[in-house]
Every structure is written in C-alpha cells, then in structure tokens.
Amino acid sequence: AQKITQTQPGMFVQEKEAVTLDCTYDTSDPSYGLFWYKQPSSGEMIFLIYQGSYDQQNATEGRYSLNFQKARKSANLVISASQLGDSAMYFCAMRGDSGYSTLTFGKGTMLLVSP
Amino acid sequence: DTEVTQTPKHLVMGMTNKKSLKCEQHMGHRAMYWYKQKAKKPPELMFVYSYEKLSINESVPSRFSPECPNSSLLNLHLHALQPEDSALYLCASSQKTGGTEAFFGQGTRLTVV
C-alpha cells in the first residue's frame, strides 16, 4: 500500500517570496513516481512536476522545483517568486503499483498568496 | 494539444434520472481514468481503462457504469444516484500504462437532488 502525507492544511506567502510545501510518502515499491498537481477553484488538476525514484537530480520546471530526499521519503515542492495566480490547492501524489498511471493523493495544502 | 475535455461542466440530477458524463482526449493516450473528488478531499480513483478495456474497478457501486467506445472517448453513465454521490468527477488520460503523468480534465461538478 502507498501513502502520501501532507501535514500543512494551509500556507500563506507574500507575493515574490518562495514557499515550500511538504510531502512525505511511504511505499514498499523499489520503483515509484512522485507528482505535484495544482488545483485552482475551477477544479482542473494541473500537472506541475514529476520525480522518479531513480532520478539522480531533483526535478525542476520553471519556478517549481522538487526537493527529493529519498532516505527521508520526502518530496517537497518549492515555488520560487510566488505570484497571486499561485493561490490554489496543491496535491502531492504517488503513482500506484498497478502498472498504470493511477495516483494516490495526499490531502492537499491550500496556498494563499497575498499582495 | 494536451487537453482533456469533459462535458458537461455542471450537472444537477434527480435520484431517478439517468445521465452521462463525457470525456474526450486527442493526445493518442491509451489509458483513461475516472476519479471522484468530494469537497475538500483529494481525488479517489474509480476506474481505469487501458486500450479501451476496463482494467481497474475500485469497487465502485453499479449505479456508476463506465464505457470506453473508442480510444479517445470515455463515458460515465449514472443511474439511481444518491445525494452522497454529489462530487467533482475528474477524467484523466496518460500516454501509456505507467511511468508518465496523467493529464486531467476540468471535471464535472455533479449535484444529486
């Protein structure tokens, strides 16, 4: 069984500052994938960034980077230079072991960016 | 085109109604998924289709009936739903079974009255 834990129900950050959203995971699979998705109030799940368990380097996508610490089983999302449009729910997710791209999600963190 | 399109965006239905949710993608993806998301909760997997065949059913009640008529289309037929089935229903697709990210549609907000 796989488990994703996001311990921050809500986070506040000022515009242009950096913010870290925490995610820890648990799995017995030797190979797995970790994802971050953004969900605005409109409902769509927007893919942000992916980290494979065997990737040597931390993933980066524009203002998003993933701080992957395998030994600690953590995959924190770092958003640099926050923008007002970053206000949304953020989900950490793990690819399931079914062989499909099924996702197990954490409970999410609501990020609010203030001017 | 990295779009997954879901229709309708909003749906209100009575407990005796029959309705269908539609999902379409033109990315050539061969795996498609239905998720259910209750308010303030994370999405939960309902069904997985791989190459137009049902591969995973997460013990979903039979009042939800999925259908994959072709590789681009995924339907979810609804019948005799309960008010507790009110939720956001998200469709997703992925390039292959395992290894890549899933692209989501913007969902259908379903209210059962």
Side-chain angles (χ1 to χ4, degrees), chain A residues 28-79:
Chain A
S28 56
D29 291 335
S31 175
Y32 49 90
L34 294 157
F35 302 79
W36 278 92
Y37 282 85
K38 171 185 177 182
Q39 188 176 41
S41 57
S42 60
E44 183 180 4
M45 297 288 284
I46 302 168
F47 166 75
L48 295 178
I49 197 166
Y50 166 79
Q51 181 83 42
S53 58
Y54 290 118
D55 292 343
Q56 295 296 315
Q57 292 188 322
N58 287 345
T60 60
E61 289 285 349
R63 294 186 299 112
Y64 305 107
S65 60
L66 201 153
N67 184 1
F68 181 48
Q69 298 188 45
K70 194 171 182 178
R72 301 178 70 175
K73 294 190 175 181
S74 73
N76 299 338
L77 177 71
V78 180
I79 306 175

Side-chain angles (χ1 to χ4, degrees), chain A residues 37 39 41 99-101 103 106, chain B residues 33 35 37 42 97-98 100 102 109:
Chain A
Y37 282 85
Q39 188 176 41
S41 57
Y100 302 97
S101 289
L103 296 169
Chain B
Y33 313 78
Y35 286 83
Q37 186 178 20
T97 52
T100 63
R109 291 193 187 274

Side-chain angles (χ1 to χ4, degrees), chain A residues 35 37 39-47 49-50 89 91 95-96 98-108, chain B residues 31 33 35 37 40-43 45 48 50 55-56 88 90 94 96-106 109:
Chain A
F35 302 79
Y37 282 85
Q39 188 176 41
S41 57
S42 60
E44 183 180 4
M45 297 288 284
I46 302 168
F47 166 75
I49 197 166
Y50 166 79
M89 181 70 86
F91 289 100
R95 187 184 67 234
S98 64
Y100 302 97
S101 289
T102 57
L103 296 169
T104 300
F105 289 87
K107 290 186 177 181
Chain B
Y33 313 78
Y35 286 83
Q37 186 178 20
K40 301 188 187 303
K41 297 286 187 182
L45 183 69
V48 179
S50 175
S55 300
I56 295 177
L88 178 69
L90 291 160
S94 65
K96 58 184 178 182
T97 52
T100 63
E101 71 268 24
F103 292 89
F104 284 81
Q106 49 190 160
R109 291 193 187 274

